[in-house]
């Protein structure tokens, strides 16, 4: 099979990602072999590729990557199922998360995939698993967003942000979305009640405090973010990258969690989890017409390095997707 291959860590996608021919993965009795039709790039792709911050290396590999490639989100067709697998059969169209997803075939766990929404293309479905699940968990599980609440979402034009805006809007919140000038119209079209251009205005200087702040791409201090919250407001930090070699900006998340028990405000972060139940919840939203991926650009698998570079350059609105032939 054709696969993206990464032999070493590095920050330049063109220097460490290449395509090669590899054997198809063998599956165990509790695995599903999926022929990948599309995969998507997210910020985690870069972290696995670069091995940064260094805190990720106990999981990704101390000196070199454990996995052949840093892909995680996919959509495709079931090719074969293990002897102990129920609920899936060859020919089923699925989407979800799996290790080393930038390849023609992947071995997936049944509890991390689900039937692909019939109304989505493979490219659209592949855009959802990691980013949309992160948004769903941030808005619902941790933000506990409800009808009529004032919600601020930073990084609203990114992969997670475009889903978070739609989900919060569906729940009846009044959404203020933060993005750069070229992306404001796209975010407004997703259901934001108010948009703020962070290159021109201070998005934390609004006249009214927010019930929930979902900080996806911001890097403001905890003090600033707390001032923008109501006395019992909730702060959910899911991003805010820095070039810190050891923690990469996660120190802000850690400080929020340590401070939270000593204030009436709820301050925190989380590590998103990929599971079939969440994917089915996303499918319900898609089927109801309230959630749709925003695709910035589609590249063939051979242009994976270009796709990752585009994400890093900050030009993306929504998701960058890789496509593979049907075979």
């Amino acid at each position: 099979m054709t696969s993206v291959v990464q032999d070493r860590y590095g920050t330049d996608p063109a220097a460490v990602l290449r395509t090669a021919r590899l054997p198809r993965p063998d599956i165990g009795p509790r695995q599903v072999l999926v022929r990948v039709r599309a995969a998507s790039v997210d910020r985690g792709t870069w972290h696995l590729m670069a091995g940064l911050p260094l805190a990720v290396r106990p999981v990704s590999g101390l000196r070199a990557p454990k996995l052949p490639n840093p892909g995680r989100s996919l959509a495709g067709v079931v090719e074969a199922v293990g002897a102990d697998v129920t609920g899936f059969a060859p020919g089923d169209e699925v989407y979800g998360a799996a290790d080393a997803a930038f390849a023609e075939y992947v071995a997936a766990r049944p509890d991390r995939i689900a039937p692909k929404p019939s109304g989505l293309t493979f490219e659209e479905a592949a855009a959802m698993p990691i980013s949309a699940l992160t948004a769903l968990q941030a808005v619902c599980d941790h933000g506990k967003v409800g009808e009529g609440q004032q919600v601020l979402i930073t990084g609203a034009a990114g992969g997670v942000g475009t889903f978070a805006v739609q989900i919060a809007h569906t729940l009846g919140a009044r959404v203020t979305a933060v993005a750069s000038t070229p992306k404001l119209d796209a975010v407004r079209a997703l259901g934001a009640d108010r948009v703020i251009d962070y290159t021109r205005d201070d998005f934390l200087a609004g006249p009214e405090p927010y019930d929930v702040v979902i900080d996806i791409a911001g890097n403001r201090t905890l003090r600033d973010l707390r001032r923008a919250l109501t006395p019992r407001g909730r702060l959910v930090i899911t991003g805010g990258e820095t070039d810190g070699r050891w923690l990469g900006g996660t120190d802000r998340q850690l400080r929020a969690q340590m401070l939270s028990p000593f204030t009436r405000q709820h301050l925190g972060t989380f590590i998103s989890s990929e599971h079939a139940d969440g994917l089915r919840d996303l499918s319900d939203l898609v089927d109801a017409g309230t959630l749709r991926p925003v695709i910035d650009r589609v590249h063939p698998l051979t242009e994976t390095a270009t796709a990752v570079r585009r994400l890093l350059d900050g030009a993306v609105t929504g998701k960058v997707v890789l496509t593979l032939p049907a075979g």
Side-chain angles (χ1 to χ4, degrees):
M1 69 173 184
T2 300
S3 174
V4 171
V5 174
Q6 176 188 359
D7 303 307
R8 60 185 176 86
Y9 289 124
T11 58
D12 179 4
V16 296
L17 299 179
R18 59 185 175 86
T19 55
R21 297 291 292 177
L22 298 180
R24 290 188 190 181
D26 295 323
I27 59 170
R30 298 180 181 180
Q31 290 182 306
V32 175
L33 182 67
V34 178
R35 183 180 181 96
V36 180
R37 294 289 307 278
S40 67
V41 176
D42 57 69
R43 190 70 190 187
T45 302
W46 183 85
H47 289 300
L48 292 174
M49 182 194 80
L52 294 173
L54 293 175
V56 307
R57 293 204 183 188
V59 175
S60 65
L62 292 178
R63 295 183 178 274
K66 291 180 180 178
L67 300 173
N69 68 66
R72 302 191 298 162
S73 291
L74 66 97
V77 180
V78 173
E79 185 83 2
V81 298
D84 295 339
V85 173
T86 60
F88 293 101
D92 289 348
E93 296 183 349
V94 297
Y95 77 131
D99 294 335
F102 295 162
E104 284 187 287
Y105 293 90
V106 299
R109 284 171 29 189
D111 61 345
R112 298 182 72 200
I113 60 174
K116 179 181 76 67
S118 59
L120 296 184
T121 65
F122 284 108
E123 290 78 13
E124 290 172 326
M128 296 188 65
I130 301 295
S131 295
L133 281 174
T134 300
L136 184 70
Q137 292 163 27
V139 173
C140 298
D141 298 342
H142 299 276
K144 301 188 184 301
V145 171
E147 185 171 358
Q149 287 189 317
Q150 296 285 346
V151 177
L152 175 72
I153 300 175
T154 71
V160 176
T162 50
F163 291 116
V165 170
Q166 295 177 75
I167 295 169
H169 172 74
T170 298
L171 293 172
R174 293 191 55 80
V175 180
T176 297
V178 181
S180 61
T181 309
K183 304 176 182 181
L184 296 179
D185 288 341
V187 172
R188 188 180 288 109
L190 297 174
D193 299 280
R194 178 175 173 240
V195 296
I196 298 177
D197 183 346
Y198 71 83
T199 67
R200 298 181 179 181
D201 300 304
D202 182 357
F203 59 84
L204 296 179
E208 297 181 5
Y210 297 98
D211 299 294
V212 182
V213 172
I214 299 175
D215 190 31
I216 300 169
N219 55 11
R220 298 292 289 271
T221 66
L222 283 179
R223 178 178 295 182
D224 288 344
L225 293 169
R226 290 188 62 199
R227 287 174 177 168
L229 281 174
T230 61
R232 295 186 180 274
R234 303 181 73 88
L235 169 65
V236 182
I237 304 176
T238 67
E241 302 283 340
T242 72
D243 57 2
R245 186 168 177 80
W246 286 97
L247 295 177
T250 57
D251 56 304
R252 198 169 56 118
Q253 283 96 314
L254 295 173
R255 285 187 281 111
Q257 287 185 304
M258 289 188 292
L259 179 61
S260 188
F262 304 100
T263 175
R264 291 185 297 167
Q265 295 170 328
H266 185 278
L267 316 173
T269 187
F270 69 100
I271 297 175
S272 64
S273 58
E274 299 85 42
H275 49 78
D277 288 344
L279 291 167
R280 285 189 284 268
D281 290 339
L282 293 177
S283 296
D284 290 343
L285 293 173
V286 171
D287 292 342
T290 57
L291 187 67
R292 196 85 185 185
V294 176
I295 306 296
D296 180 272
R297 193 165 296 185
V298 177
H299 294 267
L301 184 69
T302 53
E303 295 180 5
T304 298
T306 301
V308 177
R309 171 51 60 191
R310 180 167 176 79
L311 177 71
L312 297 177
D313 289 344
V316 174
T317 299
K319 296 288 295 182
V320 178
V321 174
L322 305 172
T323 187
L324 293 88

